[in-house]
Amino acid sequence: FLREHHERLLGNLGESRFDDEHPSAPMRSAARVLRWLDEWRADAEADSTEKVLSPRDFPRFEGMPQSFGRFEVKGIVGRGGYGIVLRAYDPKLQRNVAIKVPKIDALLSPEANARFQRESTLAASLSHPGIVPVFETDHCNGIDYMVSEFVDGDDLASRCARGQRFAAKEAARCVRRLSDAIEYAHQCGVLHRDLKPSNVLIPGDDLSLAKITDFGLATVIDETDLTHTGSVLGTPAFMSPEQADGRRSDIGPATDVYGLGTVLYQLLTGVPPFSGVTIAQTARAVVSEPPKSPRSLSPDCPKDLEAICLRALKKNPTSRYESAAAMRADLDRFLSGEPTEARSPTIWAKGYSLARRYPAAAIAIGTLLL
């Protein structure tokens, strides 16, 4: 499969083979990694037992580095559509770090390389407790890599996949923190554009310490995108309608508000807001179908929190919260027991809210009525 994939890739690049002597550094790197894969496959075929790829195998093959700069590779944390995340040790500062390196095909794509450079630059410019910090970027043997904080814990998607359920206030506090981080990023001029449970890391077991990671699709607000017109990048089940429909002019801060809504939806229900048998079916549902109400899947979900979630998931960007700060404020109202803006309040709820805001006036009016 790998060979067929990379032969197609070579054809697209107009190359005949991966070559150790190629003038392009990414081509030389790809040659080394593919040689390592071939040697590993030959060794596995000679072994009658099933062989699992592990960092412990790295020293046996020339193509896979045991370190990146001063960082010593200790293991693989995870894989995504674009790259691989490694756990490494920094002997200088005596701490574990996470290293993100691109996959082979991303190394050879100018557009993917540009996205990686963009991610490194934008993520490194952000400093917020709800965002995984990037420490530095560099390259080793022609491979660019990015070094960030190592978060010792799972992502939200993994927890949901294991069937873990979350209390309503616990979910609200988590998304409140994420909303604060996204508002900060927007104030810095950065859109994330790929918010989803797998891009939210949880240190230990404390959901209130959630951190946003993976700015691989991030861009600068009001700046020309790196993708071609109509390109669709992201995960369909968590993609905003404007992204799924290729409406680039509609992508903005409200797109990240939608992403916050998808995270809250899965925390409340345990499932994504949309799913289909195929990617195309999922994308069509995202664009044209309303999500099931969270209370229909989780009857214990409070009505106010459901209303907040569904407002963030509106199809029209202008119908959502106008900012992540506005969503954060409504989550604060829910957590403090006040009526939310998302759920149309009754006249009594409006009166209660005004009385809480202006207690002296409320007492005076009440005295007059008596």
Side-chain angles (χ1 to χ4, degrees), residues 78-362:
R79 297 174 175 84
Y82 176 77
I84 299 172
V85 179
L86 307 171
R87 180 173 63 87
Y89 180 71
D90 181 355
K92 181 178 179 180
L93 298 179
Q94 299 184 354
R95 64 182 178 185
N96 287 323
V97 296
I99 295 182
K100 183 175 182 179
V101 295
K103 290 181 177 178
I104 296 173
D105 49 351
L107 279 171
L108 301 172
S109 165
E111 187 174 282
N113 263 318
R115 287 203 302 273
F116 187 79
Q117 295 299 330
R118 171 62 61 89
E119 176 185 6
S120 302
T121 301
L122 294 182
S125 70
L126 302 175
S127 178
H128 186 279
I131 297 174
V132 176
V134 170
F135 299 142
E136 61 183 272
T137 62
D138 208 336
H139 60 273
C140 174
N141 294 326
I143 301 176
D144 291 324
Y145 64 91
M146 180 170 58
V147 183
S148 62
E149 175 191 13
F150 177 73
V151 178
D152 191 7
D154 289 333
D155 60 68
L156 275 180
S158 298
R159 293 193 172 204
C160 291
R162 293 198 299 267
Q164 183 173 352
R165 303 306 295 268
F166 304 94
K169 288 199 171 182
E170 187 181 19
R173 280 190 288 268
C174 174
V175 178
R176 193 262 177 219
R177 176 181 171 90
L178 302 180
S179 300
D180 191 63
I182 287 298
E183 177 62 21
Y184 164 80
H186 289 175
Q187 292 300 318
C188 293
V190 177
L191 293 175
H192 189 284
R193 302 196 304 169
D194 195 24
L195 283 172
K196 54 189 177 183
S198 60
N199 284 341
V200 177
L201 303 181
I202 310 300
D205 291 321
D206 195 343
L207 209 61
S208 67
L209 298 179
K211 291 175 178 279
I212 297 169
T213 188
D214 198 345
F215 281 73
L217 296 186
T219 189
V220 176
I221 295 175
D222 296 331
E223 183 170 308
T224 302
D225 198 354
L226 286 170
T227 59
H228 298 298
T229 301
S231 293
V232 177
L233 295 173
T235 306
F238 300 100
M239 196 180 292
S240 70
E242 58 269 25
Q243 287 173 299
D245 206 24
R247 304 195 310 269
R248 289 176 54 199
S249 61
D250 289 342
I251 294 174
T255 302
D256 283 346
V257 170
Y258 184 93
L260 292 167
T262 67
V263 173
L264 180 56
Y265 190 96
Q266 183 143 1
L267 284 172
L268 295 175
T269 67
V271 297
F274 299 99
S275 61
V277 177
T278 66
I279 292 176
Q281 284 183 355
T282 303
R284 282 196 297 271
V286 168
V287 172
S288 60
E289 297 178 12
K292 292 181 180 178
S293 69
R295 285 172 56 84
S296 70
L297 300 173
S298 181
D300 293 336
C301 175
K303 291 182 179 179
D304 280 316
L305 193 55
E306 177 186 62
I308 291 173
C309 181
L310 292 177
R311 179 170 177 180
L313 292 175
K314 292 287 187 182
K315 302 295 184 188
N316 189 338
T318 61
S319 299
R320 301 171 201 152
Y321 289 102
E322 60 270 23
S323 66
M327 184 172 179
R328 177 189 62 198
D330 227 9
L331 286 166
D332 282 337
R333 293 185 192 96
F334 167 77
L335 289 168
S336 62
E338 297 181 19
T340 62
E341 288 188 358
R343 187 180 174 205
S344 299
T346 64
I347 188 170
W348 298 110
K350 289 180 179 178
Y352 172 80
S353 179
L354 289 171
R356 286 284 300 270
R357 190 176 302 175
Y358 307 107

Side-chain angles (χ1 to χ4, degrees), residues 28-43:
R28 293 196 300 273
S29 300
R32 285 193 292 270
V33 175
L34 278 181
R35 185 174 61 253
W36 170 76
L37 287 169
D38 282 342
E39 292 176 1
W40 174 79
R41 182 179 63 179
D43 184 75

